[in-house]
């Protein structure tokens, strides 16, 4: 470029617009002009929209400072490079969960263990620090885990050993200080999973069948442990009692703490959440579960009491069986469609007359209202047994503790069911849910029903699509936002569907799939950025809350894979640089040595070696500064001014 006239910048820009981004970056190293053009904002704007195939109507992310940096963020900061494979599990790995600080994560598996892993080793590798087997409690496998807000307790949800159609499960609470079991809580059906409400209380479920297709779900608030000083205080309290129709049940509960949303999306301050007082006494081990026979007696007694309140005899209703799901399957083959329709009409009539009326002010927000709200979210249904609706119930401040009446707020004799505050119909089979870090957005995996389908038989839901839709629901407006994300697939039919766990970070959302891949999307642009390869179904993914460039994926191939971004991989492979001197002038003053040149005083000093890299080549520079007096015979040929001369010698060592 120096041998002839330079091309105009406009022409160079026009050429760069027709090159791929990596070629543009390489061309920018040729000369200063090309370097300046290669950083042009208009250039990177065009490269951004063309490379990622984003509609030009979509604006740049509001937090981005330039198009170049935004391109680099999506290209270089996605955790898509596999750096480690963990093989300590011996069966399908079903779920992964990070602690709020990101220093630990837990994994659940069909091998009936829950394992804890350390992510803060100096060499960057992940190692297992603890493993607990739950087979001694008659568990078939562990399916879900969650850290409490201050990362001192771990909730572990599992499935009991039993018949193929058994729906019973249990929740265990483990102390992370000494890995001891603190409590066990009955959980039915097992796919309620359970969740933390706050640092010390968790939510579980129970199910009571009233008919072949009519049931009642009870959600309980449980204290995770019992202190010596509070041994006479309630450890359980009924939160809600909700009627289910058409063989549907409440499943997959989670808690959203919806705070003020002054920004589009804010990260939670996990450190502030973790500032709670430690336990003052060693908790006592106790079991909140009951035996099967005790539970059946309680179910029968409660059902009779409710029927007496209605003026009905229990002889008018079908008798219960030990397993609700078995009863549904038997009814599917033995009951005629007319009987099902009659039961549905009776259930709807009972719901209208014996359900507490919803309070319209519970979800509404007045202008300027800055009150924090806590929502209980769960999957449910009204048309068929497959979960196709998101139920929302607000938890009031006085319901956050187990103190007070065990059955919660007193109801009148005719109002023994709670109504839902809001319902969002997904029009498809829901197979996964996840909250954004600020709890404003709910992401929902579903497999859609055919458009315009009509469900005439609750036991025969419509066929579901192989494509998985990822819906985005704004919990501030309680409506679905934007278009659904789509890239992942599933193949199992309605009666074999299983939960696929997804996770959401500040900028990205990730999900597993049955097509042996995990997927990562950008939340702002709604584009799929990466596919993560496994050898079998990917059941769960999890971002580190401390670093969204670290992602985990769990699969039926019995492995957990660790993924990091290309940027983090490069940083980990870059050799450490020596410390740079604070100031060259101050260093020269400290390290000069007086010498004699032609009988005249001079001084010389040497700099430390400076290392820099270009590609894979390393260069070492040594700077020598020599001061000589005028006309000393050494520097006369350089034409230095009178009084003295300073000579800089640079030695380059390759």
């Amino acid at each position: 470029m120096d041998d002839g006239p330079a091309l105009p910048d406009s022409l160079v820009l026009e050429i760069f617009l027709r090159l791929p981004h990596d070629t543009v970056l390489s061309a920018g190293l040729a000369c200063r002009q090309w370097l300046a053009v290669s950083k042009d904002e208009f250039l990177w704007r065009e490269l951004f929209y063309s490379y990622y195939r984003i509609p030009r109507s979509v604006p740049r992310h509001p937090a981005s400072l330039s198009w170049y940096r935004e391109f680099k963020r999506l290209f270089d900061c996605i955790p898509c490079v596999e750096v480690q494979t963990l093989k300590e599990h011996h069966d399908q790995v079903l779920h992964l969960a990070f602690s709020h600080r990101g220093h630990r994560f837990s994994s659940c598996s069909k091998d009936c263990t829950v394992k804890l892993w350390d992510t803060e080793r100096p060499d960057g590798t992940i190692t297992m620090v603890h493993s607990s087997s739950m087979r001694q409690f008659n568990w078939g496998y562990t399916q879900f885990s969650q850290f409490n807000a201050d990362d001192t307790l771990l909730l572990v949800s599992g499935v009991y050993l039993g018949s193929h159609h058994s729906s019973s499960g249990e929740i265990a609470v483990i102390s992370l200080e000494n890995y001891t079991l603190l409590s066990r809580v009955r959980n039915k059906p097992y796919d309620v999973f359970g969740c933390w409400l706050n640092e010390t209380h968790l939510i579980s479920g129970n199910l009571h069948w009233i008919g072949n297709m009519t049931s009642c779900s009870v959600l309980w608030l449980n204290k995770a442990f019992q202190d010596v000083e509070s041994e006479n205080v309630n450890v359980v309290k009924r939160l809600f009692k909700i009627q289910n129709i058409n063989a549907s049940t409440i499943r997959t509960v989670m808690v959203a703490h919806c705070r003020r949303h002054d920004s589009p999306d804010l990260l939670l301050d996990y450190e502030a959440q973790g500032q709670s007082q430690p336990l003052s006494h060693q908790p006592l081990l106790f079991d909140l579960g009951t035996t099967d026979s005790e539970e059946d007696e309680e179910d029968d007694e409660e059902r009779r009491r409710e029927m007496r309140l209605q003026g009905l005899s229990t002889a008018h209703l079908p008798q219960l069986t030990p397993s609700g799901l078995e009863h549904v399957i038997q009814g599917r083959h033995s009951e005629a469609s007319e009987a099902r329709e009659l039961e549905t009409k009776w259930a709807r009539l009972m719901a209208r007359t014996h359900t507490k009326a919803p309070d319209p002010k519970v979800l509404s927000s007045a202008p300027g209202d800055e009150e924090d709200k806590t929502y209980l979210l769960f999957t449910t249904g009204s048309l068929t047994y497959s979960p196709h609706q998101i139920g929302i119930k607000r938890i009031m401040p006085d319901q956050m503790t187990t103190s007070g009446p065990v059955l919660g707020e007193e109801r009148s004799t005719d109002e023994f069911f709670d109504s839902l505050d809001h319902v969002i119909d997904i029009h498809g089979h829901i197979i996964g849910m996840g909250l954004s870090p600020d709890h404003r957005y709910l992401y929902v995996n579903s497999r859609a029903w055919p458009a315009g389908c009509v469900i005439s038989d609750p036991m025969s839901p419509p066929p579901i699509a192989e494509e998985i839709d990822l819906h985005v629901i704004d919990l501030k407006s309680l409506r679905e936002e934007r278009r659904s994300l789509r890239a992942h697939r599933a193949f199992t039919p309605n009666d074999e569907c299983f939960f696929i766990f997804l996770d959401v970070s500040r900028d990205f959302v990730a999900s597993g799939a049955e097509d042996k891949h995990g997927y990562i999307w950008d939340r702002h642009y709604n584009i799929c950025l990466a596919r993560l390869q496994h050898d079998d179904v990917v059941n769960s993914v999890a971002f580190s809350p401390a670093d969204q460039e670290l992602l985990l994926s769990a699969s039926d191939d019995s492995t957990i894979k660790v993924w990091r971004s290309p940027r983090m991989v490069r940083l980990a492979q870059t050799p450490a640089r020596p410390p740079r001197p604070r100031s060259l002038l101050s260093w020269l003053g400290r390290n000069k040595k007086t010498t004699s040149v032609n009988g005249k005083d001079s001084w010389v000093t040497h700099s430390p070696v400076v290392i820099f890299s270009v590609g894979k080549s390393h260069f070492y520079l040594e700077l020598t500064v020599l001061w000589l007096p005028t006309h000393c015979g050494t520097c006369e040929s350089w034409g230095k001014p009178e009084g003295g001369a300073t000579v800089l010698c640079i030695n380059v060592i390759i």
Side-chain angles (χ1 to χ4, degrees):
M1 296 292 294
D2 295 336
D3 297 332
L7 294 175
D9 289 351
S10 59
L11 181 57
V12 177
L13 177 62
E14 197 67 29
I15 296 173
F16 282 6
L17 286 171
R18 287 160 173 77
L19 300 178
H21 71 278
D22 53 347
T23 305
V24 170
L25 293 174
S26 300
L29 301 177
C31 64
R32 294 178 180 177
Q33 181 198 19
W34 288 16
L35 177 61
V37 176
S38 69
K39 295 182 179 181
D40 186 85
E41 276 292 280
F42 176 79
L43 169 65
W44 284 103
R45 178 180 180 275
E46 296 302 310
L47 292 175
F48 182 88
Y49 281 117
S50 61
Y51 181 82
Y52 294 109
R53 300 178 182 178
I54 299 173
R56 294 181 180 270
S57 58
V58 178
R60 192 176 69 194
H61 193 289
S64 175
L65 299 177
S66 70
W67 287 105
Y68 170 77
R69 293 187 180 183
E70 189 68 351
F71 192 108
K72 185 177 180 181
R73 179 182 71 85
L74 296 186
F75 189 87
D76 209 29
C77 300
I78 306 298
C80 58
V81 181
E82 180 184 344
V83 296
Q84 191 177 358
T85 301
L86 308 175
K87 300 180 179 180
E88 279 77 359
H89 281 290
H90 306 296
D91 207 335
Q92 302 170 1
V93 187
L94 303 180
H95 184 252
L96 301 167
F98 266 101
S99 63
H100 293 87
R101 288 171 46 202
H103 68 302
R104 296 279 191 275
F105 75 87
S106 59
S107 58
C108 295
S109 168
K110 282 287 186 72
D111 63 13
C112 205
T113 65
V114 55
K115 299 184 186 298
L116 287 167
W117 309 79
D118 180 18
T119 65
E120 292 186 336
R121 288 177 57 88
D123 59 359
T125 61
I126 292 176
T127 57
M128 186 178 69
V129 296
H130 180 75
S131 178
S132 293
S133 175
M134 306 302 290
R135 293 217 184 267
Q136 58 180 317
F137 306 112
N138 200 37
W139 286 25
Y141 57 90
T142 58
Q143 61 173 350
F144 175 82
S145 60
Q146 186 182 44
F147 291 81
N148 69 340
D150 57 6
D151 294 335
T152 59
L153 303 174
L154 182 68
L155 178 154
V156 183
S157 177
V159 180
Y160 274 140
L161 283 172
S163 63
H164 176 68
H165 300 300
S166 174
S167 63
S168 296
E170 191 174 59
I171 297 173
V173 179
I174 298 175
S175 169
L176 296 179
E177 180 181 358
N178 49 21
Y179 305 115
T180 57
L181 180 67
L182 301 182
S183 62
R184 292 160 51 206
V185 181
R186 193 56 157 304
N187 193 40
K188 183 179 179 181
Y190 59 78
D191 51 4
V192 169
F193 294 116
C195 65
W196 290 103
L197 176 61
N198 50 41
E199 290 86 349
T200 56
H201 292 80
L202 60 99
I203 296 175
S204 63
N206 205 348
L207 184 66
H208 309 281
W209 286 93
I210 304 174
N212 284 327
M213 295 187 300
T214 307
S215 64
C216 172
S217 291
V218 182
L219 298 174
W220 293 91
L221 181 63
N222 311 267
K223 192 172 183 181
F225 52 85
Q226 185 173 10
D227 292 322
V228 174
E229 294 180 349
S230 60
E231 57 184 3
N232 296 321
V233 178
N234 295 330
V235 292
V236 294
K237 178 179 179 179
R238 190 174 75 191
L239 274 179
F240 305 115
K241 185 176 182 181
I242 299 169
Q243 184 195 29
N244 307 308
I245 62 174
N246 288 329
S248 65
T249 60
I250 287 180
R251 313 176 187 182
T252 317
V253 298
M254 60 176 54
V255 172
H257 299 284
C258 298
R259 297 168 173 83
R260 300 190 306 273
H261 304 296
D262 301 327
S263 329
D265 193 13
L266 300 174
L267 282 175
L268 285 176
D269 187 356
Y270 297 110
E271 295 297 334
Q273 282 190 340
Q275 294 176 356
S276 59
Q277 296 297 327
L279 305 180
S280 56
H281 296 278
Q282 180 65 29
L284 300 177
L285 176 62
F286 66 100
D287 190 347
L288 299 180
T290 57
T291 63
D292 291 339
S293 58
E294 291 173 344
E295 186 183 63
D296 293 340
E297 293 175 1
E298 293 174 359
D299 290 354
D300 292 340
E301 179 61 29
E302 183 170 357
R303 182 168 58 88
R304 295 190 189 98
R305 181 171 64 253
E306 292 176 354
M307 292 306 103
R308 285 197 297 270
L309 293 175
Q310 302 177 70
L312 298 175
S313 169
T314 56
H316 293 98
L317 295 176
Q319 296 299 311
L320 294 175
T321 60
S323 172
L325 189 54
E326 288 180 2
H327 200 75
V328 171
I329 296 174
Q330 293 172 4
R332 185 175 183 179
H333 298 288
S334 62
E335 296 292 331
S337 60
E338 292 82 1
R340 292 173 183 165
E341 292 177 3
L342 181 61
E343 180 179 337
T344 300
K345 292 180 180 179
W346 167 80
R348 293 184 185 278
L349 177 62
M350 185 174 67
R352 285 196 299 267
T353 57
H354 297 283
T355 300
K356 185 178 179 181
D359 185 357
K361 299 181 180 180
V362 169
L363 298 183
S364 61
S365 297
D369 184 10
E370 297 183 351
E371 181 184 8
D372 295 342
K373 296 179 180 179
T374 301
Y375 293 140
L376 182 66
L377 312 174
F378 47 84
T379 62
T380 183
S382 61
L383 303 176
T384 180
Y385 68 85
S386 63
H388 57 275
Q389 294 176 329
I390 304 295
I392 301 177
K393 188 71 178 171
R394 184 178 177 185
I395 303 177
M396 306 305 291
D398 59 346
Q399 296 176 299
M400 300 285 187
T401 176
T402 55
S403 61
V406 175
L407 297 184
E409 183 180 353
E410 296 299 329
R411 301 172 177 84
S412 66
T413 56
D414 292 331
E415 295 178 346
F416 47 81
F417 290 136
D418 292 295
S419 61
L420 301 184
D421 295 329
H422 192 73
V423 176
I424 300 175
D425 201 304
I426 301 298
H427 195 75
H429 194 129
I430 299 172
I431 60 172
M433 294 198 304
L435 283 167
S436 62
D438 68 342
H439 286 204
R440 174 170 179 175
Y441 295 100
L442 175 68
Y443 288 75
V444 181
N445 266 336
S446 77
R447 297 173 61 184
W449 292 335
C453 66
V454 178
I455 301 176
S456 57
D457 184 359
M459 305 310 299
S460 299
I464 52 179
E466 288 188 354
E467 294 81 9
I468 302 176
D469 293 327
L470 188 53
H471 304 264
V472 185
I473 297 173
D474 187 349
L475 295 179
K476 182 179 180 180
S477 61
L478 297 179
R479 66 171 182 264
E480 187 172 353
E481 298 288 341
R482 305 176 181 174
R483 59 180 175 87
S484 301
L485 308 179
R486 178 178 289 184
H488 45 332
R489 300 171 66 88
F491 311 105
T492 52
N494 260 311
D495 54 352
E496 298 178 13
C497 267
F498 53 87
F499 213 74
I500 294 178
F501 295 94
L502 57 96
D503 196 23
V504 188
S505 70
R506 182 191 61 200
D507 297 321
F508 310 122
V509 55
S511 173
E514 292 184 38
D515 58 9
K516 302 181 182 181
H517 287 86
Y519 292 83
I520 303 176
W521 294 265
D522 182 79
R523 293 179 56 191
H524 179 72
Y525 300 107
N526 288 354
I527 55 174
C528 184
L529 297 170
R531 299 169 75 239
L532 315 176
Q533 177 70 51
H534 269 272
D535 295 330
D536 210 329
V537 173
V538 178
N539 296 306
S540 178
V541 292
F543 286 103
S544 168
D547 179 12
Q548 65 175 356
E549 296 181 42
L550 169 62
L551 177 72
L552 308 173
S553 60
S555 171
D556 279 356
D557 61 16
S558 305
T559 67
I560 301 171
K561 289 191 175 183
V562 183
W563 308 84
R564 293 187 184 272
S565 67
R567 185 182 73 90
M568 295 302 297
V569 172
R570 285 198 314 275
L571 290 176
Q573 296 173 349
T574 302
R577 297 182 179 181
R580 300 175 60 185
R582 295 182 181 179
S583 172
L584 177 62
L585 295 179
S586 61
W587 175 87
L588 291 175
R590 292 195 305 269
N591 295 276
K592 68 179 181 179
K593 296 181 179 179
T594 303
T595 184
S596 177
V597 178
N598 294 336
K600 298 183 179 182
D601 290 337
S602 309
W603 55 263
V604 63
T605 183
H606 300 276
S607 74
V609 175
V610 180
I611 304 174
F612 69 96
S613 302
V614 177
K616 295 184 178 180
S617 301
H618 303 284
F619 297 87
Y620 304 84
L621 302 185
E622 184 178 51
L623 176 64
T624 301
V625 181
L626 176 64
W627 183 88
L628 300 172
T630 306
H631 306 303
C632 64
T634 303
C635 61
E636 286 182 351
S637 59
W638 297 346
K640 297 299 178 181
E642 186 177 355
T646 303
V647 181
L648 279 74
C649 302
I650 302 178
N651 301 321
V652 181
I653 306 172
I654 301 178

